[in-house]
Amino acid sequence: MVDEQLRARGIHDRHVLRIMEAMPRHLFVDDTLAARAYSDHALPIGDEQTISQPYMVALMTQALDLTGNEKVLEIGTGSGYQTAILAELAERVFTIERIPAIAAAARERLTALGYTNVVFRCADGTLGWREMAPFDRILITAGAPRMPAFLEEQLRPGGIAVVPVGESENQSLVKATRTEDGLAQRVLCGCTFVPLIGREGWASGNVG
Ligand code: SAH
């Protein structure tokens, strides 16, 4: 997976490559899908949600430019795979998931794996997590109709956010850096994430 899907496509951050080489991705999917856990696509995790494609996880993590000291906010815990990678590469991770069963499963999984630097919350993450702000990095792993407004206030100056933004079926992966003049944005690539549902996201049942 790491050689063919990540290195060959230009993922070069050695910390990201090392952690993804070591991370047991099969433990983040149902037993019936374990044989496909390292293949080149997203997989279902229940409730119409997915664990993201390995390459997309690598690309987003690399774009966050982590040094080990960061306080990170993740919206869309899902399986917890991306959360675990962030927990390895940053100091602390605050992660929000809106579906209770998915949130509970991820918490259980990461606790069993021994992670102690992750704080879980089950809520609508489109408003961020004001009590815990500011964050050095913010990662959204569901497709937002537009850049959520909370980024401007909850991202520390100089901080980086990575967000898929666009239509419900396909989005642009945007890297935003908070500067004195607001968010400096750059598109990294096209992508397809499940929709970000909530007050500042898509309306539930009205996606697409
Ligand atoms: N990084 C995860 C991706 C999971 S898919 C993984 O690789 O496993 C995206 C997740 O975002 C889904 O679990 C979905 O329920 C969640 N989500 C969607 N809208 C949300 C919101 N407003 N707040 C928190 N989580 C949200």
Side-chain angles (χ1 to χ4, degrees), residues 71-77 93-98 119-135 137-141 144 146-155 161 163 196-201:
K71 182 174 156 189
V72 182
L73 174 65
E74 178 194 39
I75 314 287
T77 316
V93 182
F94 295 82
T95 186
I96 310 181
E97 167 59 51
R98 66 178 280 273
V119 185
F120 298 86
R121 183 181 190 190
C122 186
D124 173 9
T126 60
L127 304 177
W129 195 337
R130 185 169 281 152
E131 300 82 356
M132 299 299 173
F135 300 98
R137 303 285 187 267
I138 297 177
L139 173 62
I140 303 187
T141 67
R146 70 197 88 84
M147 273 315 222
F150 82 85
L151 291 177
E152 294 256 12
E153 72 195 44
Q154 295 184 26
L155 189 60
V163 187
L196 181 76
I197 294 173
R199 264 176 65 186
E200 292 281 319

Side-chain angles (χ1 to χ4, degrees), residues 25 45 47 49-53 57 60 74-83 96-99 102 123-126 141-142 193-199:
R25 186 169 156 94
I45 58 170
D47 281 297
Q49 307 305 319
T50 56
I51 177 173
S52 302
Q53 178 197 25
V57 173
M60 293 190 293
E74 178 194 39
I75 314 287
T77 316
S79 66
Y81 177 70
Q82 172 80 70
T83 319
I96 310 181
E97 167 59 51
R98 66 178 280 273
I99 299 178
I102 290 183
D124 173 9
T126 60
T141 67
F193 282 82
V194 297
L196 181 76
I197 294 173
R199 264 176 65 186

Side-chain angles (χ1 to χ4, degrees), residues 19-87:
I19 294 303
M20 288 192 65
E21 184 111 54
M23 188 61 68
R25 186 169 156 94
H26 60 280
L27 299 182
F28 293 82
V29 297
D30 191 79
D31 286 347
T32 57
L33 296 172
R36 290 162 60 197
Y38 299 87
S39 53
D40 191 16
H41 41 68
L43 290 169
I45 58 170
D47 281 297
E48 295 174 25
Q49 307 305 319
T50 56
I51 177 173
S52 302
Q53 178 197 25
Y55 173 70
M56 208 33 85
V57 173
L59 189 69
M60 293 190 293
T61 312
Q62 177 170 278
L64 288 174
D65 230 340
L66 295 165
T67 66
N69 302 319
E70 294 82 6
K71 182 174 156 189
V72 182
L73 174 65
E74 178 194 39
I75 314 287
T77 316
S79 66
Y81 177 70
Q82 172 80 70
T83 319
I85 288 166
L86 295 173

